[in-house]
Amino acid sequence: NEQVRRARAECEREEAGVSYARRVLQGRIDLLRVELERRHEGGHDLTTLLADLPRILASDQYPSDPLQARAVNVSVPEAAEVLEAEIDEIVDRAGLDDLGGRDADDLAQLIEELATYERYLSGLRRQLFERIDMLRDELVQRYKDGRASVGDLL
Amino acid sequence: MDREVRALWGRYADARDPEVREQLILHYAPLVKYVAGRVGVGMPSSVDHADLVSYGVFGLMDAIEKFDPGRGVKFETYAVTRIRGSIIDELRAVDWVPRSVRSQARKIEAAIQHLVHLRGRSPTDEELAEELDLEVSELQDALARMAMTSVAALDETLHVGDGDRIPLVETLQDLTAVLPEESVDDAATKALLREMIVRLTEREQMVLGLYYFEGMTLAQVGEVLGVTESRICQIHTKAVMALRVKLLE
Ligand SMILES: Nc1nc2c(ncn2[C@@H]2O[C@@H]3COP(=O)(O)O[C@H]4[C@@H](O)[C@H](n5cnc6c(=O)[nH]c(N)nc65)O[C@@H]4COP(=O)(O)O[C@H]3[C@H]2O)c(=O)[nH]1
Ligand SMILES: Nc1nc2c(ncn2[C@@H]2O[C@@H]3COP(=O)(O)O[C@H]4[C@@H](O)[C@H](n5cnc6c(=O)[nH]c(N)nc65)O[C@@H]4COP(=O)(O)O[C@H]3[C@H]2O)c(=O)[nH]1
């Protein structure tokens, strides 16, 4: 049991980092997309963007169901640091100096690069879920036939 | 931190310029997507996720205002704590758990506390219903209505001392790990939790194990145990209440 748990804990540690970097990157992409849209419409007002944050950042959420809930913790995982550094590098390489001065084409290019990286993170995340859920199912089987119990965890 | 942001913090430190502040909020706003996404897990469907984001943005503004770069803490780490706290505080202010459900939960917890003292173990549904002068079906209906599946539901009731909350989820998930940098309080909390978990019913232990230690969804735990959806919610809620009662002693 120990071995299976350790393998899964390692995957979960990595997944926590990937999921964190993924959600933060998704938020960033969606904000840049709204900014690009506004650029094309000619207006560029930061304050209205801030007022729209709830709509932009909760865009993909649908009503939750307590039965589909999973125990989650809310923290900044260490494993995210490496990924965040890679994302920062993409942004730095785009060479845009500040939010106001970005050229629309450069901005569109940056969004595309970030979206490619987001798809990479989502793919990594799916693979980690597959592995985590496989290791978990192995443990659950052992709960069912008595080879594992909560007691051995305490 | 990319170059652009470091420059923003530098300008904000020199002069609290509202426009620089807005750019900082915009830069770190994605953190709110992460926190609101996770605090939103397991919430009743009546809670609007966009509201969680707007509560979280308040917390982010607060974090930017109060952040002291000299302290050597990463801003993201500081901000995530403040954003989460702000969402939970704002939820409580709008009474996201109806008062009637909240007061009923308190009665049930008081009854659990009494029976745990009396018998040294978690009560069965029948014992608890009798103590509360309810039919077992009435008790089970009440428990099914109190889904303790979200961070906010688990988090908010554990106000201890001067306002620091014990994140029950983290503590439970960490129960099996020995953390080097554990504080005395955390170690004490874990000891209490371990002591209580072994006094729960067999089935409650299994639910806690599969949900907190093995990372399953409640629906998946219900499938493994072969119980209905509302029954798994009840077992989970009652097990969490027994743990909370222990921690609040
Ligand atoms: N309940 C739940 N469902 C999940 C979760 N993760 C993935 N899914 C489901 O699986 C689909 C594919 O996810 P993906 O491969 O990560 O692929 C995702 C991801 O690459 C990206 N994406 C997801 N959310 C956002 C977002 O808010 N902003 C941006 N820019 N991209 C997003 O778009 C793709 C499609 O997203 P969806 O249409 O939402 O479709 C999602 C969603 O239905 C989860 O943690 N919880
Ligand atoms: N072992 C395992 N773990 C899983 C699986 N799906 C998600 N998780 C993990 O469980 C957390 C909560 O997922 P959720 O309840 O669906 O709650 C999700 C969901 O409501 C939403 N979300 C995330 N990605 C997507 C997406 O692509 N599309 C949609 N529509 N919603 C998403 O944000 C919330 C938080 O997402 P995260 O921070 O990524 O945190 C996720 C992720 O770390 C899975 O199939 N197996």
Side-chain angles (χ1 to χ4, degrees):
Chain A
N1 296 349
E2 261 315 297
Q3 215 175 345
V4 178
R5 282 218 170 85
R6 213 173 305 126
R8 203 193 61 206
E10 189 41 44
C11 281
E12 284 173 337
R13 209 185 58 78
E14 192 184 342
E15 182 268 325
V18 172
S19 281
Y20 168 84
R22 172 183 179 269
R23 284 311 262 170
V24 173
L25 180 55
Q26 286 172 353
R28 200 164 189 182
I29 290 168
D30 294 343
L31 285 171
L32 289 175
R33 277 193 179 131
V34 169
E35 204 220 329
L36 186 64
E37 247 170 63
R38 297 204 174 180
R39 200 52 81 70
H40 286 316
E41 286 160 16
H44 182 61
D45 178 3
L46 229 56
T47 346
T48 48
L49 202 58
L50 290 182
D52 260 355
L53 282 177
R55 180 184 62 77
I56 299 167
L57 296 177
S59 60
D60 66 346
Q61 303 259 170
Y62 41 82
S64 42
D65 169 9
L67 274 158
Q68 298 312 318
R70 205 183 286 273
V72 282
N73 67 56
V74 185
S75 62
V76 180
E78 255 185 63
E81 244 167 73
V82 181
L83 305 170
E84 292 273 282
E86 285 180 16
I87 294 168
D88 277 351
E89 215 174 284
I90 295 174
V91 176
D92 277 348
R93 244 189 355 242
L96 304 176
D97 50 8
D98 74 33
L99 207 60
R102 285 186 175 130
D103 171 65
D105 288 349
D106 288 347
L107 191 53
Q109 168 75 22
L110 173 62
I111 290 170
E112 255 331 291
E113 277 185 57
L114 292 175
T116 305
Y117 195 80
E118 190 283 328
R119 280 189 292 273
Y120 159 70
L121 287 180
S122 289
L124 199 57
R125 181 177 182 258
R126 276 195 312 268
Q127 283 172 353
L128 286 165
F129 283 158
E130 246 166 65
R131 185 143 169 70
I132 289 168
D133 292 349
M134 203 181 61
L135 291 167
R136 185 204 59 212
D137 290 344
E138 168 56 35
L139 271 170
V140 170
Q141 195 48 47
R142 295 186 192 184
Y143 268 93
K144 276 181 176 165
D145 56 26
R147 285 178 296 156
S149 77
V150 177
D152 62 0
L153 284 172
L154 296 180
Chain B
M1 193 188 281
D2 63 45
R3 269 192 327 248
E4 182 182 319
V5 182
R6 201 169 287 133
L8 277 179
W9 279 111
R11 282 163 63 194
Y12 193 61
D14 289 345
R16 297 272 167 184
D17 176 357
E19 209 182 291
V20 177
R21 181 170 164 272
E22 282 187 347
Q23 287 182 352
L24 281 169
I25 294 168
L26 208 58
H27 176 78
Y28 287 109
L31 288 178
V32 179
K33 182 175 179 78
Y34 169 72
V35 177
R38 290 214 163 188
V39 175
V41 171
M43 282 262 168
S45 54
S46 53
V47 172
D48 180 356
H49 288 276
D51 286 345
L52 299 185
V53 170
S54 66
Y55 302 153
V57 171
F58 284 130
L60 174 61
M61 290 166 146
D62 195 39
I64 288 173
E65 210 56 43
K66 294 200 166 76
F67 180 59
D68 173 10
R71 272 186 55 215
V73 177
K74 224 176 123 192
F75 176 72
E76 283 83 350
T77 309
Y78 175 69
V80 161
T81 323
R82 299 290 305 206
I83 294 167
R84 166 192 179 158
S86 166
I87 296 175
I88 292 174
D89 288 343
E90 291 289 330
L91 277 171
R92 208 180 318 173
V94 297
D95 244 357
W96 70 289
V97 174
R99 275 167 206 267
S100 57
V101 174
R102 198 187 289 271
S103 64
Q104 200 174 25
R106 293 241 163 86
K107 270 191 203 122
I108 296 174
E109 284 189 359
I112 290 176
Q113 188 161 23
H114 175 67
L115 291 173
V116 168
H117 269 210
L118 210 61
R119 297 205 175 87
R121 59 166 172 76
S122 168
T124 62
D125 283 5
E126 291 68 25
E127 290 165 338
L128 187 53
E130 195 189 334
E131 175 71 21
L132 288 162
D133 211 7
L134 291 175
E135 294 296 321
V136 176
S137 58
E138 284 174 324
L139 168 67
Q140 289 178 342
D141 282 350
L143 287 174
R145 270 199 310 273
M146 294 163 194
M148 295 287 181
T149 46
S150 64
V151 171
L154 292 170
D155 215 35
E156 64 165 49
T157 47
L158 287 179
H159 254 291
V160 179
D162 56 352
D164 53 342
R165 295 182 177 97
I166 304 176
L168 185 60
V169 175
E170 274 94 330
T171 312
L172 276 173
Q173 285 177 328
D174 280 349
L175 210 60
T176 57
V178 180
L179 297 177
E181 74 288 355
E182 204 163 86
S183 71
V184 175
D185 291 349
D186 280 356
T189 305
K190 281 192 190 174
L192 282 177
L193 282 176
R194 276 192 198 97
E195 211 184 293
M196 192 58 211
I197 288 176
V198 294
R199 293 186 190 177
L200 298 177
T201 66
E202 219 22 64
R203 184 169 265 187
E204 286 168 347
Q205 289 191 36
M206 191 76 164
V207 168
L208 286 183
L210 294 179
Y211 187 71
Y212 292 101
F213 302 150
E214 310 304 343
M216 300 183 92
T217 65
L218 267 194
Q220 289 166 341
V221 176
E223 224 172 287
V224 170
L225 291 187
V227 294
T228 65
E229 291 186 343
S230 72
R231 190 74 198 109
I232 191 68
C233 279
Q234 293 158 20
I235 299 169
H236 174 257
T237 296
K238 183 162 157 283
V240 168
M241 281 180 163
L243 292 187
R244 281 205 321 221
V245 157
K246 184 75 184 163
L247 285 184
L248 285 171
E249 269 170 11

